[in-house]
Amino acid sequence: MKYKQRLGVSMLAMSVLMHTGNVAAESFVAPFGGYAFGTSDFSTVDSTSQAESSVKIAESEHWGVMAGITTPDPGSIYLLYSHQSTEFSIGDNLNQPEITKLDIDYLHLGGALYFPQGKFRPYITTSAGLTQMRPDNGFSNETNFSMSIGGGAEYQFTTNFALFADVRGYATFISSSQSLFCNSGNCKWLVDADLMWQGQVSVGAKLTF
């Protein structure tokens, strides 16, 4: 009898834990948009003319989406995609560069940890993944490893809908003296840099289901 009672209690406890886990693990989708700023300057040498210049990526709007699941910490695990259409800003060269327009994509796997205060939920977040830069005029795409760290807050209007705002800093790892943006074997620039830094300010909506 005692064995049956213990077995019954154990099964009941397991059922409660499974039910709790199912409730805690929710999926969410969070589209966002904002402004990307503060890109690092690159010290470059034109591979054709040997002209030295200071090159940076211009500030502009960006948009993206996160999709993931919540965790009982409370926190979340997510996949992030961010897109920015921008252009190069040449600091020391008055000539029009061959490359003008540039698309930048971030694809990151990340996590967030929340510090709930009622419906107001501040959080910190970090992620890692890839940065891809896609120039115009037929030059090659460049894909590099990158990481980010940031913080923000969301406000839960209902259990299924929240608005959020955050700031993130992205660091893209670039090999020193790397050739960038090649076309038919000819590369546009030699870059003397190890990291490309960029900041993003975003606002968005989070739908939980």
Side-chain angles (χ1 to χ4, degrees):
M1 179 64 70
K2 290 183 179 180
Y3 173 77
K4 291 182 179 180
Q5 288 177 342
R6 291 176 181 174
L7 180 61
V9 171
S10 299
M11 292 181 66
L12 178 61
M14 184 178 296
S15 176
V16 170
L17 288 173
M18 291 177 64
H19 178 71
T20 302
N22 290 336
V23 172
E26 299 176 311
S27 301
F28 67 87
V29 175
F32 61 86
Y35 200 74
F37 63 93
T39 305
S40 303
D41 288 351
F42 296 111
S43 297
T44 64
V45 177
D46 191 295
S47 59
T48 302
S49 65
Q50 300 301 308
E52 297 183 1
S53 61
S54 176
V55 178
K56 70 180 297 182
I57 297 170
E59 301 176 359
S60 69
E61 297 82 8
H62 73 274
W63 59 268
V65 64
M66 290 184 290
I69 58 172
T70 60
T71 61
D73 292 321
S76 66
I77 299 172
Y78 59 82
L79 184 67
L80 175 146
Y81 170 75
S82 175
H83 174 78
Q84 178 189 6
S85 293
T86 184
E87 60 186 14
F88 284 105
S89 174
I90 310 297
D92 301 328
N93 190 347
L94 299 179
N95 297 323
Q96 182 71 16
E98 296 177 61
I99 305 172
T100 55
K101 296 182 179 179
L102 180 72
D103 289 334
I104 301 177
D105 290 335
Y106 292 103
L107 183 62
H108 275 209
L109 181 65
L113 180 62
Y114 290 82
F115 305 91
Q117 300 177 15
K119 293 185 177 181
F120 183 67
R121 291 160 52 90
Y123 61 86
I124 56 175
T125 182
T126 185
S127 65
L130 298 175
T131 302
Q132 185 176 74
M133 296 181 285
R134 301 194 307 277
D136 62 352
N137 292 346
F139 285 88
S140 63
N141 300 337
E142 301 291 339
T143 303
N144 298 87
F145 176 74
S146 57
M147 301 178 68
S148 81
I149 187 169
E154 70 175 38
Y155 187 86
Q156 282 192 304
F157 289 90
T158 70
T159 55
N160 301 107
F161 178 77
L163 295 179
F164 67 91
D166 63 33
V167 178
R168 296 171 186 256
Y170 289 87
T172 300
F173 294 82
I174 300 174
S175 299
S176 182
S177 301
Q178 175 177 321
S179 298
L180 285 183
F181 308 123
C182 300
N183 185 352
S184 300
N186 296 318
C187 297
K188 177 58 182 172
W189 289 311
L190 293 176
V191 176
D192 185 15
D194 294 314
L195 290 173
M196 181 187 81
W197 293 95
Q198 187 177 44
Q200 288 188 354
V201 176
S202 305
V203 294
K206 182 178 180 180
L207 305 174
T208 305
F209 49 92

